[in-house]
Amino acid sequence: MTRTSSKITTPATAARGATRDFFAGLRGRIAGEIVTPDSERYDDARQVQIAQFDRRPSAVVRATSTADVAEAVRFAREQGIPLAVRSGGHSIAGLSMVDGGVTVDLSGMKRVEVDGATGRARVQAGATSGDVAGPAHEHGLAITTGDTSSVGMGGLVTGGGIGYMARKFGLTIDSLVSAQVVTADGKVRTASAAAHPDLFWAIRGGGGNFGIVTEFELQLAPVRDILGGAIVLPATREVIRGYLDYMPTAPDGLTTLVNVWPAPPAPFIPQEFVGTPCVMILPVWTGDFEEGQRAIAPLRALAEPIADTVAPMPYPAIYNYTQELTNRHGVALRSMFSDELSDAAIDAVVAAVSAPTSAVPLVHIRGQGGAIARVARDATAFAHRTQKYFVSVISVWMPEDGQGAAHEAWADALWRQLRPEGNGAYVNFLQNEEPARIRDAYPAETLRRLREIKTTYDPENMFRFNQNIQPLAGAATQAA
Ligand SMILES: Cc1cc2nc3c(=O)[nH]c(=O)nc-3n(C[C@H](O)[C@H](O)[C@H](O)COP(=O)(O)OP(=O)(O)OC[C@H]3O[C@@H](n4cnc5c(N)ncnc54)[C@H](O)[C@@H]3O)c2cc1C
């Protein structure tokens, strides 16, 4: 494979008419490795989860500590080079790598320390959802995080975190006690309700716009085993309508994730149903199991189940149901919140998953409500708390597929039919969509406050490889 050197020309060096080893100055300042294009490890270092993104940074800085992150931020600032952030690498917009710039990679910073006495965990931002679930479970504790074990905490938590126990415990950000943040000036700040409360508000839903979080302090909940598994039902209008009607009335202990999709070749799916459209409900019940069985019964009663594996299990075992998604894949994703889906929308969903272009076409429906909705709309930067459903059109394909445009078109076509019945957006489920979608993610008053805080902490928009919140024009108030 052809390698290029780490001597790069950036706007700063070009202005001086010089090209030089850009990273020599940084090497002595950090303990972590700086991977440049001339390294054997470069292609590994720049690889991300979503396969259609093939960006070539000038360097990937593999941070080992908060001090490394701060040095990398200061260096990028001094040199005027673009800066991106990678934790778990699952950005569905491919934003954790930047062509020609520096990616600060926190994936080596995975320490998870659980304090059984306080029920709190200190979690470095490079840890994944699975990295947290295991140690928490050993202490009889849990926290709601991503639905796939490999989703990184860095991006998940700063965006919100809609997880398997969200109706019981809220979003992941609702369990955030404090965070260590490296801001654009290279300073390390602790953000909490008491310290830099504006920053604390903004990093709970505002994404990576305000700095690089190196460590989260999270309040875990006492959870031993859960009732979980899969209930697989035929994909009919009646089943989907029944699900939509039931979830807003379900007890908070029950959180569900629904995939409407062709039944996958899982061991629990009878062979004759593989590939036929089904509704796969993944329920997670936390609490008394008899009560849980009563809460789940109305879902089981929606139709004769094709499969039903729901049983007591340790919380981390639910990740077995999404194991496939931990493999690198291409994805087209369009999403919205909704309070009502018409029969026509339901029929469109069933028709689309019956005529897929990709290996894994699906429509995700999550019944929201419960603890998510009990947090005030203005308490965090995640404001879409009261809608009944979160709906995503998703097409997943293998990296070698080569038909990404067809899969994007499939997702767009169904999205156009559903979008009039929804509103809002979740930053972590936005791809590279039209700029107006940032206003879907943040209602006007939320966006105004986010822009003010952005102006305080990042007036030059250094952190812009994200779903970007722009500082207010002309203002330049740096934080104390
Ligand atoms: C297979 C899959 C399943 C998913 N399931 C869920 C789910 O169940 N619930 C849910 O809510 N979301 C889910 N998501 C979306 C997920 O929350 C986002 O993709 C999130 O950004 C991933 O975080 P990451 O650290 O892995 O990503 P990265 O690609 O590393 O980062 C993405 C962006 O997050 C920001 N960021 C990352 N790390 C930091 C940091 N340390 N400090 C500040 N900003 C940072 C940056 O802006 C960066 O561009 C899923 C995504 C995938 C691909």
Side-chain angles (χ1 to χ4, degrees):
M1 187 172 301
T2 313
R3 306 268 167 203
T4 50
S5 106
S6 64
K7 294 177 190 305
I8 59 165
T9 303
T10 72
T13 51
R16 290 195 293 271
T19 301
R20 62 186 173 84
D21 182 354
F22 226 74
F23 301 100
L26 183 58
R27 284 183 213 280
R29 287 160 60 176
I30 67 164
E33 187 185 9
I34 301 172
V35 184
T36 45
D38 51 353
S39 165
E40 286 298 320
R41 289 183 290 282
Y42 179 68
D43 284 329
D44 279 347
R46 71 188 182 86
Q47 193 175 92
V48 289
Q49 179 75 357
I50 302 304
Q52 69 259 39
F53 300 111
D54 184 26
R55 304 217 164 106
R56 302 186 68 86
S58 299
V60 176
V61 176
R62 289 180 155 159
T64 61
S65 64
T66 299
D68 277 4
V69 173
E71 284 295 349
V73 168
R74 282 181 217 128
F75 178 82
R77 187 182 181 83
E78 288 157 17
Q79 301 295 334
I81 43 178
L83 180 81
V85 188
R86 180 203 202 277
S87 289
H90 277 46
S91 166
I92 57 158
L95 291 167
S96 36
M97 288 291 148
V98 52
D99 281 326
V102 167
T103 284
V104 181
D105 178 358
L106 285 85
S107 62
M109 292 173 59
K110 286 176 174 293
R111 197 177 56 242
V112 174
E113 289 172 353
V114 179
D115 181 337
T118 61
R120 290 197 176 168
R122 299 199 74 87
V123 175
Q124 286 189 311
T128 64
S129 298
D131 291 336
V132 179
H137 182 73
E138 284 166 24
H139 287 82
L141 299 164
I143 182 167
T144 189
T145 56
D147 63 21
T148 304
S149 63
S150 52
V151 173
M153 293 296 282
L156 177 95
V157 183
T158 49
I162 305 177
Y164 284 120
M165 298 183 289
R167 296 185 77 253
K168 178 79 172 177
F169 302 122
L171 305 170
T172 315
I173 50 171
D174 299 331
S175 300
L176 186 64
V177 178
S178 70
Q180 205 167 57
V181 191
V182 177
T183 45
D185 53 8
K187 288 187 180 165
V188 181
R189 293 182 158 88
T190 298
S192 69
H196 300 293
D198 52 352
L199 183 60
F200 186 55
W201 179 86
I203 58 165
R204 286 177 293 157
N209 275 284
F210 302 91
I212 303 180
V213 177
T214 55
E215 190 171 293
F216 301 101
E217 183 188 7
L218 294 155
Q219 181 64 56
L220 311 182
V223 175
R224 285 218 168 266
D225 287 357
I226 55 150
L227 268 185
I231 300 170
V232 185
L233 304 167
T236 63
R237 185 200 283 179
E238 293 69 30
V239 166
I240 297 171
R241 172 66 60 213
Y243 170 79
L244 294 172
D245 287 348
Y246 176 60
M247 278 317 294
T249 70
D252 291 1
L254 182 64
T255 302
T256 56
L257 167 62
V258 161
N259 289 341
V260 184
W261 62 352
F268 56 89
I269 305 273
Q271 189 56 41
E272 65 271 27
F273 287 102
V274 171
T276 63
C278 76
V279 172
M280 184 184 286
I281 307 175
L282 299 182
V284 168
W285 167 266
T286 43
D288 174 77
F289 284 170
E290 279 182 22
E291 210 184 311
Q293 295 289 7
R294 283 195 296 277
I296 292 169
L299 298 174
R300 290 189 160 120
L302 291 173
E304 179 70 29
I306 295 167
D308 182 349
T309 68
V310 174
M313 62 167 69
Y315 174 67
I318 195 69
Y319 284 127
N320 295 335
Y321 286 88
T322 49
Q323 183 62 27
E324 287 293 311
L325 285 173
T326 63
N327 299 320
R328 203 165 151 261
H329 56 267
V331 73
L333 195 156
R334 313 283 180 264
S335 64
M336 65 185 195
F337 294 91
S338 176
D339 280 317
E340 197 168 346
L341 289 178
S342 66
D343 286 348
I346 293 172
D347 293 348
V349 166
V350 176
V353 301
S354 306
T357 60
S358 73
V360 187
L362 69 149
V363 174
H364 237 134
I365 310 175
R366 296 175 195 246
Q368 301 284 98
I372 304 170
R374 281 199 298 275
V375 174
R377 178 183 162 91
D378 62 356
T380 67
F382 188 112
H384 295 295
R385 289 186 174 269
T386 54
Q387 293 97 323
K388 289 183 190 159
Y389 317 112
F390 180 53
V391 181
S392 307
V393 176
I394 307 175
S395 181
V396 173
W397 62 90
M398 296 304 113
E400 59 282 1
D401 168 295
Q403 302 295 317
H407 311 323
E408 294 277 353
W410 177 90
D412 273 331
L414 179 55
W415 168 240
R416 275 195 298 275
Q417 295 176 77
L418 300 186
R419 191 175 179 175
E421 303 193 14
N423 56 64
Y426 168 35
V427 277
N428 278 355
F429 274 52
L430 281 179
Q431 291 205 289
N432 299 303
E433 301 173 40
E434 69 257 41
R437 291 285 277 155
I438 200 81
R439 290 195 290 277
D440 288 344
Y442 303 113
E445 66 277 18
T446 308
L447 186 57
R448 190 172 53 249
R449 190 168 170 197
L450 283 168
R451 291 190 68 196
E452 284 166 9
I453 299 169
K454 177 79 172 177
T455 310
T456 303
Y457 290 96
D458 185 15
E460 289 156 18
N461 204 6
M462 187 172 181
F463 298 110
R464 61 181 176 280
F465 297 97
N466 43 44
Q467 300 298 342
N468 195 229
I469 293 159
Q470 299 196 350
L472 297 168
T477 321
Q478 191 57 41

